Amino acid sequence: MKKILCVTLCAAMLMNLAGCAVNTADQTTAAQTEAAEAADTQAAAEEGTAEGETVDTIKIGVILPLSGTSAYQGNLNREGYEYAIEYYNSKGGIKSMGGAKLEAVYADHTGVPEVGTTEVERLINVENVDILTGGNSSTVLLAVQPIVERYQIPFMINQGSSLSILSQGYTYMFNPSNDARTNVEGLIGVCEMVEEKYGDVIDGIGLIMENTEWGQSQKDVFQQYFEAAGKEVVLNEVVELGATDFSSQILKIKNSGVKFVVPCLSSFNDAVLFVRQMKEYDCNAGILASGGVFVVPEFAEALGDDINYIFSTDTWNPGFLQAKGEEALEIHQGYVDKYGHVMGENAGMSWIAISVLVAALEEAGTVDGPTLRDTIYNMDLSEDSEYMLMVPFHGMKFNEVDPSGCTNHNIYGLSCISQYIDGAWQCVWPDDILGGNNPLVWPIPTSE
């Protein structure tokens, strides 16, 4: 097209010169030069446009548990996606692609891997999405990963902690946040912080793990890392998903010298029952929970005062925003105004996923799968990047193998730890993201 345009412009200019009976060689040469320069200018303008695709909409397939046992968390995830997409669209969309707007297309995997695979196929082949994100189920993520790889569609995980997801050599799925390793490192971190600040040695760990892919992956990693940190694991119990009684496990906790129990329970009802029975049996072991249902607003409502002073992994908690500054606080307040509660882990992790995708789209200027995948893989965002404003990590970088041997995992990803204090989950670890304002309560008040 550029060559045709150049020839046409030159010919038109020469015909004009002939009609006007311009015969001097200098004038002809000047006219030809002017025509060539005009053609070059037009070609350069076209090349500039071609640097980034110009599209109206970028379709993001979002697969979550919108029904089933994890529906409450899944719908909090959805709020985070909606708010993040609304925010970035209000900022002008993807500027490198002509201001293209983001559009979410949702699918419900119900927590069932077979449903997840069907829904991902539908998002790709029927809805024609450009990118994928979501999760909140390690088993579903493991099931859909080969499909993502086959179609070469980048997938940004919002929540999925099993180390198996990113240790199988697939290249199109990325995790910007936490996993089983960072979860246990965070729990160890808060124990070590307490030891350093208060001189209380915390030893004697009890593990209560459900018999799911998520629970089993945490079980092995947690024991390994606690023991490597010099914390003796004196109890390691597996329980059925949907348990109706934890009395036998709680009696073992009381009788085995457990100082802190780590319950990895994904079912809301299981987690509520476990904490209630801990109180009923006057079991004063501290609780180091592994996020999930423990940090959703409904959990605190169900437990009342029984939730006080529990610790939990809480990868996204607004406690770090004070140190980020006024703009971050204003963005979070907009979420509170819209939805009536703080952003919290589930919505916050969705925000992180969208922010990383927006950064990649701006850099790549295209939704071409392999190009976008390479852009994400080679990303290296510093903590002062505009895309890290609402992210509690020191950076975003995927192209190094992490300490667990996982690929495509953000090497700066970590699991913040919160404690339930004065009616809210409040971030207490790591210290360095809190701007010197740590609300930690220690020692934990115990029942009489």
Side-chain angles (χ1 to χ4, degrees):
M1 176 180 175
K2 295 172 186 173
K3 290 181 179 179
I4 294 171
L5 178 61
C6 182
V7 171
T8 303
L9 287 171
C10 290
M13 187 63 72
L14 290 172
M15 288 175 64
N16 183 58
L17 289 172
C20 295
V22 177
N23 297 316
T24 66
D26 288 344
Q27 287 177 309
T28 300
T29 302
Q32 290 174 327
T33 300
E34 183 179 349
E37 288 175 350
D40 288 342
T41 299
Q42 179 66 26
E46 289 183 13
E47 287 174 0
T49 302
E51 288 176 2
E53 298 173 0
T54 300
V55 297
D56 293 329
T57 304
I58 297 169
K59 297 179 74 172
I60 302 176
V62 184
I63 183 161
L64 296 168
L66 300 175
S67 63
T69 58
S70 297
Y72 187 79
Q73 301 97 289
N75 281 285
L76 289 173
N77 287 142
R78 181 169 182 160
E79 288 181 3
Y81 279 117
E82 290 174 348
Y83 189 64
I85 288 171
E86 178 184 290
Y87 171 82
Y88 283 109
N89 282 343
S90 74
K91 293 294 183 180
I94 306 303
K95 301 175 186 63
S96 70
M97 300 177 68
K101 299 301 189 216
L102 307 175
E103 176 188 331
V105 181
Y106 291 96
D108 179 11
H109 64 59
T110 73
V112 178
E114 293 79 10
V115 176
T117 57
T118 300
E119 285 300 281
V120 165
E121 290 272 7
R122 180 182 66 81
L123 287 172
I124 294 171
N125 294 313
V126 178
E127 300 292 348
N128 297 313
V129 300
D130 301 300
I131 319 167
L132 288 160
T133 184
N136 209 325
S137 169
S138 293
T139 54
V140 170
L141 290 170
L142 285 164
V144 305
Q145 195 167 35
I147 301 171
V148 171
E149 194 81 7
R150 183 168 74 251
Y151 287 103
Q152 297 185 318
I153 304 289
F155 190 118
M156 189 62 60
I157 296 171
N158 72 333
Q159 289 174 286
S161 61
S162 174
L163 299 184
S164 300
I165 299 168
L166 297 182
S167 61
Q168 300 185 45
Y170 291 110
T171 61
Y172 275 80
M173 190 170 278
F174 295 85
N175 182 358
S177 301
N178 71 312
D179 62 13
R181 172 186 60 83
T182 66
N183 286 348
V184 68
E185 285 178 342
L187 296 177
I188 292 169
V190 78
C191 290
E192 292 176 342
M193 183 178 70
V194 165
E195 292 175 350
E196 180 180 343
K197 286 189 172 186
Y198 300 97
D200 293 339
V201 176
I202 297 175
D203 201 1
I205 303 297
L207 304 178
I208 304 294
M209 305 292 182
E210 67 179 40
N211 63 340
T212 62
E213 167 64 32
W214 173 70
Q216 292 305 294
S217 68
Q218 306 258 70
K219 175 180 181 290
D220 297 335
V221 175
F222 276 38
Q223 176 145 2
Q224 173 191 344
Y225 276 81
F226 270 118
E227 291 182 344
K231 310 295 180 190
E232 183 184 4
V233 176
V234 298
L235 180 70
N236 194 338
E237 290 275 304
V238 176
V239 297
E240 293 292 321
L241 181 66
T244 58
D245 182 27
F246 291 98
S247 59
S248 64
Q249 288 82 18
I250 292 170
L251 288 173
K252 289 179 183 178
I253 291 168
K254 290 188 68 172
N255 295 329
S256 59
V258 170
K259 298 293 180 60
F260 268 102
V261 61
V262 181
C264 290
L265 304 170
S266 64
S267 164
F268 181 89
N269 291 333
D270 289 4
V272 169
L273 177 63
F274 178 79
V275 176
R276 282 180 176 163
Q277 288 194 308
M278 286 276 288
K279 299 297 181 181
E280 290 170 6
Y281 282 83
D282 294 323
C283 184
N284 290 323
I287 294 178
L288 295 170
S290 190
V293 296
F294 280 83
V295 293
V296 300
E298 189 180 41
F299 189 72
E301 294 170 9
L303 283 174
D305 290 343
D306 288 346
I307 196 175
N308 288 336
Y309 312 115
I310 288 177
F311 291 96
S312 179
T313 59
D314 191 14
T315 299
W316 201 102
N317 179 287
F320 76 94
L321 295 177
Q322 187 72 39
K324 286 283 189 175
E326 287 300 318
E327 186 177 357
L329 291 170
E330 289 174 6
I331 293 171
H332 179 255
Q333 187 58 49
Y335 179 92
V336 174
D337 294 342
K338 183 177 180 67
Y339 296 105
H341 53 83
V342 299
M343 188 174 280
E345 180 179 75
N346 292 277
M349 302 275 269
S350 298
W351 176 285
I352 291 173
I354 290 296
S355 293
V356 176
L357 288 175
V358 169
L361 286 164
E362 286 287 12
E363 175 68 22
T366 180
V367 292
D368 174 69
T371 301
L372 191 56
R373 181 265 165 202
D374 290 346
T375 301
I376 298 170
Y377 183 73
N378 292 307
M379 178 179 290
D380 189 3
L381 299 180
S382 64
E383 61 184 319
D384 59 356
S385 163
E386 62 181 299
Y387 305 107
M388 297 291 289
L389 182 63
M390 300 283 286
V391 181
F393 312 142
H394 293 306
M396 193 69 63
K397 185 178 175 67
F398 296 96
N399 64 357
E400 295 180 19
V401 178
D402 77 6
S404 300
C406 293
T407 56
N408 290 15
H409 181 212
N410 176 26
I411 63 169
Y412 299 106
L414 57 84
S415 302
C416 301
I417 306 297
S418 291
Q419 186 180 26
Y420 200 84
I421 307 166
D422 296 333
W425 285 105
Q426 300 194 41
C427 189
V428 296
W429 186 90
D431 254 343
D432 63 358
I433 68 170
L434 299 177
N437 181 29
N438 195 325
L440 177 76
V441 172
W442 191 268
I444 297 173
T446 58
S447 58
E448 297 297 331

